[in-house]
Amino acid sequence: MTFSMKKFNKLVLFHLFLLIAVLPILARGECTCDSESEEHNKTLARKYKIAAIASILVAGAIGVCLPILGKTIPALSPERNVFFMIKAFAAGVILSTGFIHVLPDAFDHLTSPCLKGSAWEFPFTGFVAMCSAIGTLMVDAFATSYYRKSHFGGVKGPAQASVGDEERDGEHAEHVHVHTHATHGHSHGSVEDSGSSELLRHRVISQVLELGIVVHSVIIGISLGASESPKTIRPLVAALTFHQFFEGMGLGGCIAQAKFKARAVTIMGLFFSLTTPVGIAIGMGISSRYDENSPTALIVEGIFNAASAGILIYMSLVDLLAADFMSPKLQSSGRLQIGANLSLLFGAGCMSLLAKWA
């Protein structure tokens, strides 16, 4: 299992580095549609961009580290009710990011009048988002299945499956199973297998979620870095700082539940924290050749944004919200249900409000 997880991690990192390297090249293109006239001040814009790199880096690092600190702060432990509330808030932020921030941008890019030809009359944005969500489901299912089989040594036989089904049917009375099977040592193995399976699931979720977040973070960073208008950049600095902080909390919660080793946690946290600042730096480097209204830039950004939206919407609804809201712990507590729902609405509302500036 360790070898397989390492291969999967290397594959994810390879594709992310490939995205960062190739996207600026693809986004350059000749101008075929006039840009809107804006007041340009390169010196002032550069100062704002440097401030954006620093503030977004710090905010992202703090956001992703807060849930991970649950190991040292008892109040933030994944077993506490507060953690459910924080995770619901963060899931609302990620859901709003997909619906309110990323998907509308993809629609704007792929329905731009700068794209000529009847082919662009097809609703590519919705199509790409749908395919992305379906692809995420497939990756989610196959990766979880693969790691589970490699961990448990293959598919269970009929007798083992029957025992597993009986135990799943009686999960609500786990103490009964412990009492009945303790002498045979069977309950311990069942609980351990269940915990290992859930841990593998959390690891797949955290990696796929980071992939979706990183894709649109790079695009946001390049767009901000390539802009030369202080009027455009100024409100984006504050909005994207809060944006990265909230998203970091969502990702950090998933990483905390996945219980990676310290090295993997550090790599994932750094990767998330650095993607937008690196995107801004790349945008600053190509600002003289970058044209946001060129067909190439519109198509590349639109497709990546649509794909990212599909990933974020699927992950927030299925892997974050549905998994937690249908869990026995939340279902058995009315107060926790109300608190989680209010946290979800508050997170989605806060992120939606930021759409006014970003």
Side-chain angles (χ1 to χ4, degrees):
M1 182 189 71
T2 305
F3 176 71
S4 300
M5 288 295 292
K6 285 183 177 179
K7 280 204 304 184
F8 184 72
N9 291 340
K10 288 179 180 178
L11 186 62
V12 171
L13 289 173
F14 171 75
H15 282 90
L16 292 176
F17 281 122
L18 188 64
L19 169 67
I20 293 174
V22 172
L23 184 58
I25 300 172
L26 294 176
R28 289 183 351 212
E30 68 285 355
C31 179
T32 58
C33 190
D34 294 334
S35 302
E36 295 179 4
S37 57
E38 291 180 330
E39 181 186 350
H40 288 187
N41 185 331
K42 292 187 177 182
T43 303
L44 185 58
R46 181 176 290 273
K47 291 181 180 178
Y48 283 141
K49 292 173 189 177
I50 294 173
I53 290 175
S55 63
I56 290 173
L57 177 62
V58 172
I62 293 174
V64 77
C65 287
L66 274 178
I68 298 173
L69 291 175
K71 294 180 179 179
T72 56
I73 303 175
L76 296 178
S77 173
E79 288 76 26
R80 296 297 184 93
N81 291 346
V82 176
F83 186 82
F84 274 85
M85 310 268 282
I86 294 174
K87 197 175 174 187
F89 174 86
V93 168
I94 293 172
L95 183 63
S96 178
T97 299
F99 273 119
I100 307 298
H101 291 257
V102 184
L103 198 58
D105 283 348
F107 273 111
D108 288 343
H109 286 123
L110 296 180
T111 58
S112 171
C114 299
L115 296 178
K116 308 298 181 182
S118 58
W120 296 105
E121 295 176 4
F122 181 80
F124 277 106
T125 305
F127 178 74
V128 172
M130 177 188 70
C131 292
S132 175
I134 294 173
T136 305
L137 169 64
M138 292 178 177
V139 171
D140 205 1
F142 284 125
T144 304
S145 173
Y146 175 77
Y147 291 135
R148 183 175 293 146
K149 288 177 182 177
S150 65
H151 180 74
F152 295 119
V155 183
K156 291 182 178 181
Q160 292 173 302
S162 175
V163 173
D165 290 341
E166 290 176 6
E167 292 186 353
R168 280 194 295 272
D169 291 340
E171 278 182 352
H172 63 280
E174 186 179 329
H175 62 281
V176 176
H177 286 284
V178 172
H179 175 76
T180 305
H181 299 292
T183 55
H184 301 287
H186 182 75
S187 176
H188 175 75
S190 175
V191 172
E192 185 179 340
D193 289 350
S194 175
S196 300
S197 178
E198 187 177 354
L199 186 63
L200 289 173
R201 176 88 180 128
H202 285 309
R203 291 185 174 182
V204 172
I205 289 172
S206 61
Q207 290 173 332
V208 176
L209 179 61
E210 178 155 22
L211 176 63
I213 291 175
V214 163
V215 168
H216 88 269
S217 293
V218 172
I219 295 174
I220 289 173
I222 291 175
S223 299
L224 189 151
S227 176
E228 299 291 358
S229 171
K231 185 178 179 181
T232 300
I233 298 172
R234 190 185 303 116
L236 283 176
V237 175
L240 291 180
T241 299
F242 284 105
H243 181 280
Q244 287 296 103
F245 175 76
F246 291 145
E247 273 195 345
M249 289 181 65
L251 179 62
C254 293
I255 294 174
Q257 287 185 305
K259 297 180 181 178
F260 286 108
K261 292 183 179 179
R263 181 181 177 184
V265 170
T266 304
I267 291 173
M268 293 183 73
L270 281 175
F271 212 88
F272 166 78
S273 303
L274 291 173
T275 45
T276 302
V278 168
I280 295 173
I282 292 173
M284 292 171 68
I286 65 171
S287 58
S288 60
R289 302 182 298 277
Y290 181 86
D291 175 29
E292 62 181 7
N293 287 324
S294 72
T296 305
L298 290 170
I299 293 169
V300 171
E301 289 186 25
I303 289 176
F304 274 113
N305 273 329
S308 177
I311 294 174
L312 295 177
I313 291 169
Y314 171 86
M315 296 298 294
S316 58
L317 287 175
V318 177
D319 286 331
L320 299 181
L321 292 174
D324 283 348
F325 277 56
M326 296 302 171
S327 66
K329 181 173 182 176
L330 197 124
Q331 290 285 314
S332 61
S333 173
R335 290 182 60 186
L336 185 56
Q337 277 188 342
I338 294 172
N341 278 282
L342 290 176
S343 296
L344 168 63
L345 293 173
F346 185 59
C350 288
M351 201 63 188
S352 298
L353 183 62
L354 286 178
K356 179 177 173 63
W357 300 280

